[in-house]
Amino acid sequence: MKNHQPIGIFDSGIGGLTVAQSLVKLLPKENIIYFGDTAHLPYGDKSAETIRGYSLKIAQILLEQNCKLILIACNSASAAAHEAVKQFVASKAIVVDVIDPTIDLLRESYGNKRVGLIGTRQTVHSNVYQKKLDESKHSINLMSVPTNLLAAAIEEFGNHTLLEPLLEKYLSHPTFKNLDALVLACTHYPVIKEKISKFFDHKIEIIDSSDAVARVVKHRLEKDNLLNLDGPGKKHFYVSDFTDSFAASTKIFFDENITLEHYPFQEK
Ligand code: DGL
């Protein structure tokens, strides 16, 4: 692998852009290829098997684009397909997911806290966060609630007031009384982080692990001497279905002229 090869990032839609933004801030010289699988959005309602199928196909596309590292910037795909993607990619690229860096963050700083978690149905029902936390001796008991419609609503409405009634319904869940912190276990949710924080009167910590994920990517590249120090930091965006909302969102995340390329997704 060579330093100038791009980092491939994927998600079902705009969610992964929250992680891509942190990554670009930390590693501005890296060339980035982003794949938003907008044709199959939302992932959170699909079966693990279906999400694995999409993830493997995208991993293949990113390998064909010569990526040195593939970042699964989606909790649902990380829960359902991290192992499968790692096996498929083998030694051709480094694979990083968004769950492991969050687990490390929780272990380091939230040991004695009351921590809640919101994510898609896929992520919450997989119980992957709790399982991984239980592997360490300082286990944290997570209170997890699936917030099924949230990712699709964010994709559709962005950070709009229409989201508030939905948040009211989900976040007033009795298990979320007296929380110290809430994990945003879906990469779409940082888009409405402020609204979520406001619901809790800004009294609890909202854990958005995008920066932690970016640091893990940096560390993995450093370890293999693969950081790109020369730039130019090119960004390329692919979508499996061209949508106006995705086009508008990329502009919010990256204030530069971005070209979206339609990459039709061939089913196997
Ligand atoms: N952003 C994704 C996640 O982190 C997927 C949301 C969805 O497509 O349902 O889970």
Side-chain angles (χ1 to χ4, degrees):
M1 282 187 274
K2 300 266 174 2
N3 306 54
H4 67 267
Q5 287 175 239
I7 295 175
I9 305 176
F10 76 90
D11 179 47
S12 57
I14 65 166
L17 293 174
T18 58
V19 188
Q21 195 180 31
S22 289
L23 195 69
V24 167
K25 228 188 281 163
L26 189 67
L27 302 171
K29 293 197 172 151
E30 293 294 335
N31 299 313
I32 303 280
I33 295 183
Y34 188 91
F35 194 102
D37 191 9
T38 45
H40 300 118
L41 178 104
Y43 272 14
D45 297 349
K46 310 274 189 310
S47 70
E49 198 187 350
T50 298
I51 298 172
R52 261 195 300 279
Y54 298 152
S55 303
L56 291 177
K57 179 74 194 163
I58 298 167
Q60 186 186 333
I61 293 167
L62 294 174
L63 284 179
E64 282 161 11
Q65 297 287 324
N66 215 14
C67 290
K68 61 185 173 187
L69 185 144
I70 294 177
L71 171 56
I72 309 174
C74 169
N75 282 265
S76 311
S78 295
H82 185 195
E83 287 309 315
V85 170
K86 269 202 296 198
Q87 265 186 29
F88 174 76
V89 167
S91 60
K92 292 188 229 71
I94 300 165
V95 178
V96 174
D97 78 326
V98 288
I99 295 177
D100 288 338
T102 315
I103 295 291
D104 289 341
L105 201 69
L106 290 171
R107 280 186 188 145
E108 278 158 28
S109 315
Y110 295 89
N112 303 315
K113 307 257 170 78
R114 274 181 63 86
V115 184
L117 178 145
I118 51 172
T120 65
R121 185 181 284 136
Q122 167 58 224
T123 301
V124 171
H125 289 180
S126 74
N127 206 21
V128 59
Y129 276 86
Q130 191 63 61
K131 283 186 200 151
K132 289 194 178 223
L133 282 171
D134 288 347
E135 286 164 15
S136 82
K137 35 183 209 311
H138 304 292
S139 190
I140 301 167
N141 237 345
L142 285 176
M143 267 90 41
S144 303
V145 172
T147 44
N148 301 336
L149 300 174
L150 215 45
I154 293 168
E155 196 78 29
E156 183 65 28
F157 304 119
N159 184 9
H160 194 277
T161 46
L162 273 171
L163 270 298
E164 271 140 21
L166 209 53
L167 283 179
E168 175 73 37
K169 171 171 169 20
Y170 288 135
L171 301 179
S172 53
H173 196 283
T175 195
F176 285 164
K177 284 232 158 72
N178 306 318
L179 285 184
D180 296 312
L182 181 73
V183 180
L184 305 185
C186 171
T187 54
H188 279 71
Y189 302 169
V191 173
I192 55 162
K193 186 175 173 180
E194 183 53 32
K195 283 190 170 45
I196 294 172
S197 179
K198 190 169 163 222
F199 178 87
F200 293 101
D201 293 326
H202 304 289
K203 287 198 174 113
I204 72 165
E205 222 177 310
I206 307 298
I207 306 174
D208 158 13
S209 56
S210 315
D211 289 344
V213 172
R215 285 194 297 274
V216 168
V217 169
K218 182 175 182 221
H219 176 73
R220 294 294 303 274
L221 291 176
E222 253 164 9
K223 206 171 114 213
D224 291 351
N225 231 342
L226 281 172
L227 276 181
N228 187 14
L229 305 173
D230 299 327
K234 273 192 288 188
K235 298 178 199 70
H236 206 113
F237 293 85
Y238 290 110
V239 280
S240 50
D241 186 25
F242 194 91
T243 61
D244 289 342
S245 77
F246 192 92
S249 301
T250 45
K251 289 196 185 78
I252 297 168
F253 284 98
F254 301 101
D255 47 346
E256 53 198 278
N257 241 347
I258 273 161
T259 326
L260 274 191
E261 203 169 315
H262 183 204
Y263 198 115
F265 202 104
Q266 304 291 329
E267 301 291 346
K268 274 188 228 155

